[in-house]
Amino acid sequence: MEALCSSSLLTRQALPLSSINFTGAGSVSVPGFSLPSLKTRAFPDCIRKHSAVGIPRASVAVEQKVKLALIRIGTRGSPLALAQAHETRDKLMASHPDLAEEGAIQIVIIKTTGDKILSQPLADIGGKGLFTKEIDEALINGEIDIAVHSMKDVPTYLPEKTILPCNLPREDVRDAFISLTASSLADLPAGSTIGTASLRRKSQILNRYPSLNVLENFRGNVQTRLKKLNEKVVQATLLALAGLKRLDMTENVTSILSLDEMLPAVAQGAIGIACRSNDDKMANYIASLNHEETRLAVACERAFLLTLDGSCRTPIAGYASRDEDGNCIFKGLVASPDGTRVLETSRKGTYAFQDMINMGKDAGQELLSRAGPGFFDS
């Protein structure tokens, strides 16, 4: 009760004692507020003395109610992850007037296992799900209302009690080549070192340019990797063009690799938004943002990945797109980790959900049979 006499409390909404009614029963009532019943002797001397002589100098601080956010968005804390969360927030605010008010949407940063452990390759610490597990747990536990993910980080299965009904419009899926000394992969001198944490990139690089070296476990966010490049730890690196665009950092791009030179990761450039399966309100909010062409393409690619049972130890690439006639064109690839063997396939069909799922599965089954046992062990 000593805090009631503290002047620091007067920075909040304060009511003079003249507006407080002391009842004979020893309780206190404040207009517009309900406070618990207190014995008169529980009040410190400063309040009882002032009330007795009618001098309204002391005040009782009354906490203002804090407006709770209507949506709490869970995300990783990297600059790219935050850019994607802010893109989601902005789209929600533009689509729903009730979310446009200040404080209606809160962004909650959650540190994942993949963010905490940077000294080891992803495959050695658990592979897929390292950048989503803790966020999914917070969603299931009700600590957040929706989760924003880079779709290429999302395992081919979703945790129980969650759904992912929304993909935002996809960014450019290609990879960017970044170097201070060369204009392209082909221009790098023999023996040059390229930094990447991706086996997909490593295998495709070594398949085309076996004279180059690849520094594995070249991990960290975009800014960290560019810093290592500037420090000449490596002579070049590859980054997703989509991330550089979302960070407004395309001035760092030396050249852009064609899809024939570097097939992208499954779902590269796509953002996914998940919610609890029993939360119809959130499902309706985020479903309104869904870009169906992207959702179908990602579903096709993930069906391919699921069939191959791909992990971080498996070099896999896949890309589904709509051609000028409105059909789906799918290209898929698996490679040995050392890049000595690369198997490719393609499919064409109608741009419809089930047909595209079937295309992805069929392409995966073909490459599995062609690869044979032990293919990924080389």
Side-chain angles (χ1 to χ4, degrees), residues 36-346:
S37 177
L38 299 171
K39 299 255 178 142
T40 304
R41 65 174 180 270
F43 285 90
D45 290 340
C46 64
I47 289 183
R48 284 192 281 111
K49 180 174 68 174
H50 290 317
S51 63
V53 297
I55 304 175
R57 292 182 180 174
S59 300
V60 173
V62 180
E63 292 284 350
Q64 291 180 332
K65 291 186 178 179
V66 177
K67 180 179 178 181
L68 296 177
L70 297 177
I71 298 182
R72 295 163 297 170
I73 299 176
T75 178
R76 295 169 58 202
S78 72
L80 178 55
L82 288 172
Q84 294 177 165
H86 280 91
E87 180 179 342
T88 301
R89 181 200 63 183
D90 293 346
K91 289 181 181 296
L92 284 168
M93 292 173 66
S95 301
H96 301 279
D98 57 320
L99 300 179
E101 295 182 18
E102 184 178 355
I105 301 178
Q106 177 187 2
I107 292 177
V108 180
I109 296 174
I110 299 168
K111 200 156 191 177
T112 68
T113 302
D115 298 311
K116 296 172 186 174
I117 305 175
L118 297 175
S119 59
Q120 297 172 260
L122 294 175
D124 293 346
I125 56 174
K128 285 288 185 181
L130 289 172
F131 294 110
T132 60
K133 180 175 179 287
E134 285 83 359
I135 299 175
D136 289 333
E137 289 174 350
L139 180 62
I140 293 168
N141 294 335
E143 297 164 18
I144 58 174
D145 301 302
I146 65 175
V148 177
H149 298 302
S150 290
M151 280 304 300
K152 70 177 182 178
D153 292 335
V154 177
T156 49
Y157 60 89
L158 295 177
E160 288 186 23
K161 302 180 181 179
T162 71
I163 55 173
L164 204 160
C166 173
N167 289 128
L168 299 185
R170 197 173 198 174
E171 249 297 355
D172 197 315
V173 303
R174 294 174 294 174
D175 281 320
F177 174 81
I178 304 175
S179 176
L180 303 177
T181 59
S183 60
S184 66
L185 282 169
D187 288 339
L188 285 170
S192 296
T193 300
I194 303 173
T196 179
S198 164
L199 284 182
R200 169 190 65 87
R201 290 176 177 136
K202 174 188 173 182
S203 61
Q204 291 185 75
I205 291 169
L206 293 179
N207 180 258
R208 289 178 175 272
Y209 307 101
S211 66
L212 299 177
N213 298 317
V214 175
L215 176 63
E216 296 183 46
N217 199 36
F218 192 74
R219 293 184 54 206
N221 60 37
V222 171
Q223 290 80 358
T224 299
R225 298 187 203 194
L226 292 178
K227 182 173 182 287
K228 290 179 181 179
L229 179 64
N230 286 323
E231 293 171 348
K232 298 182 172 52
V233 175
V234 295
Q235 282 71 60
T237 189
L238 301 183
L239 294 172
L241 183 58
L244 293 168
K245 285 189 170 186
R246 289 188 173 117
L247 289 169
D248 195 22
M249 296 178 64
T250 54
E251 71 277 4
N252 295 284
V253 175
T254 303
S255 60
I256 299 173
L257 281 67
S258 70
L259 295 177
D260 291 332
E261 190 173 9
M262 182 65 63
L263 200 62
V266 163
Q268 183 157 306
I271 296 172
I273 310 176
C275 67
R276 289 180 292 277
S277 55
N278 63 353
D279 194 338
D280 293 340
K281 184 175 182 179
M282 292 301 143
N284 289 332
Y285 273 137
I286 62 179
S288 67
L289 306 185
N290 180 57
H291 187 254
E292 189 66 1
E293 181 176 329
T294 297
R295 188 182 75 88
L296 297 187
V298 168
C300 176
E301 295 165 22
R302 283 167 61 81
F304 172 71
L305 183 64
L306 177 62
T307 302
L308 290 168
D309 191 25
S311 72
C312 284
R313 296 187 184 276
T314 313
I316 297 173
Y319 178 49
S321 60
R322 191 196 294 267
D323 68 10
E324 61 274 9
D325 298 321
N327 294 311
C328 174
I329 303 295
F330 174 77
K331 295 181 179 181
L333 172 156
V334 295
S336 59
D338 61 6
T340 55
R341 291 183 66 196
V342 173
L343 304 177
E344 300 177 81
T345 189
S346 62

